[in-house]
Amino acid sequence: MAVAKTYHLVTLGCPKNEVDSEHFERLLVGHLQPAADPESADAIIVNTCGFIEASQRESLEVIRTLAAKKRPGQRLIVAGCLTQIAGDRVRAEAPGVDHVFGVGQWVQVARLLEVDAEAVYDIPDTPARLRGPSAYLKVADGCDAPCTFCVIPRIKGRFRSLPLGALVREAQRLVEAGAREIVLVAQDTTAWGEDFGFAPGKGLPGLLRALSEAVGEDVWLRIMYAYPSRVTPELVQAMAELPNVVKYLDVPLQHGSPAVLRRMRRPHNLEKTFAMVRMLREAMPDIALRTSLIVGFPGETDEEFAELEQFVRAIEFDHVGVFTYSRQPHTPAHDLPDQVPERVKVMRRERLMRIQRRIAARRARTFIGRELDLLVEGSGEDEDGRPVVAGRTYREAPEVDGLVIAYGRAEAGERVRVRIEAAGDYDLFGRLAEESAS
Ligand code: SF4
């Protein structure tokens, strides 16, 4: 087969996959050119997602479509989470696939394309490519937690932190490439450093301080995917003290019933969870809290679901992602009795979302009349030709939370002041501060 000169990369799944894809693409810089569409590429590479059945189906569908349209001489390479756990299924269901790799095999993929690549995490000295003004920084990979519903530890293996020096250099490169916000991700960001000997939850505060200094005060740092029992006083103090760490925390809690949490093998002492939330809000009164919850876990009774509702009402999160339980092969929960019927899961999800929508809107309304920093993601005009920008304040993480839409003129990547004038269920509306003054 001829040496590939161009490639097209399709990335499916979560931000952590996007980071892997970005690192992989940086291995190819100077060797292969990116092609805008799969048709014109010599090699098509798919970074798959295997998190839940729906994402596995989506990945397979994409692979099958690409395989069906493949030209003679074109290579189709699939890698990532789905192929890690179900490589044989991919081969059987998409016979046009030429090469199958698992997770953490991007160097091998690069070598297959005749790129002399070193380890992906020896981050190469090439400019980072950004999507918008934000960039993800993956601080670790893998997971040692025992959550009974989750297949990630099987896919990704044991928890491994990236070294502090490499992360600082990568963050600086992202800033040089134009990033105005760096979003820290991992399966569990708060476990960073435990494999280097830090006590649980004690490594991340030091990493935050190092990154905060390295990127400068104009660049936001945001923490996603915190594990509740690792939100330590040291972490809260670092978040409160460091001006460029946004006062926002994503802590997936998964449920609010101790019995369900026990079956999930998640932290189930709700008093500790409430104490964590109190500690965060006392140190940072305006902190925006995001969580993810699973409804319809095996055996979830009406009473346990009512406890979850009560939990959501009591904490008043700013943002909540609600997922219906998805039965994963190779996980302990797969074989638990009393699986909840799909329609009950969907009804519970709708119900919880309705409750949360009211809470989120109420919390958002408290910002009306206030001025906030806005990181502009894009600009345009409304139907009357008036200039409008869309962006995010510290309260909204990229891709998962809402936006702030404001009248005024600014370029993508600029940080401007916005005065909030109205709040919807998910988005805020306002005008740029200079506009309101004029
Ligand atoms: S902490 Fe997250 S990634 Fe790790 S097992 Fe639990 S749900 Fe899965």
Side-chain angles (χ1 to χ4, degrees), residues 143-147 149-153 187-188 227 254 266:
C143 186
D144 295 340
C147 311
F149 53 84
C150 182
V151 72
I152 292 286
Q187 260 70 44
D188 172 1
Y227 194 80
Q254 313 301 1
R266 298 273 311 176

Side-chain angles (χ1 to χ4, degrees), residues 65-180:
T65 308
L66 290 168
K69 291 188 180 159
K70 219 177 70 168
R71 281 187 285 103
Q74 232 180 359
R75 276 197 243 181
L76 178 56
I77 303 165
V78 293
C81 296
L82 174 64
T83 41
Q84 176 77 20
I85 51 169
D88 290 344
R89 181 177 168 201
V90 172
R91 278 195 195 89
E93 294 192 24
V97 169
D98 297 296
H99 307 277
V100 173
F101 292 89
V103 295
Q105 291 192 297
W106 294 104
V107 172
Q108 286 90 320
V109 178
R111 289 203 183 115
L112 180 79
L113 298 170
E114 309 214 349
V115 173
D116 182 17
E118 293 305 319
V120 172
Y121 291 128
D122 287 349
I123 294 158
D125 231 355
T126 46
R129 279 201 359 209
L130 298 175
R131 290 172 204 82
S134 299
Y136 292 107
L137 179 66
K138 188 156 95 173
V139 301
D141 209 352
C143 186
D144 295 340
C147 311
T148 54
F149 53 84
C150 182
V151 72
I152 292 286
R154 183 184 157 95
I155 298 175
K156 297 279 188 173
R158 298 215 54 150
F159 183 84
R160 305 164 311 274
S161 304
L162 272 83
L164 186 137
L167 290 170
V168 165
R169 281 195 301 281
E170 173 67 350
Q172 286 170 328
R173 271 192 207 106
L174 290 167
V175 173
E176 279 160 24
R180 305 300 310 276

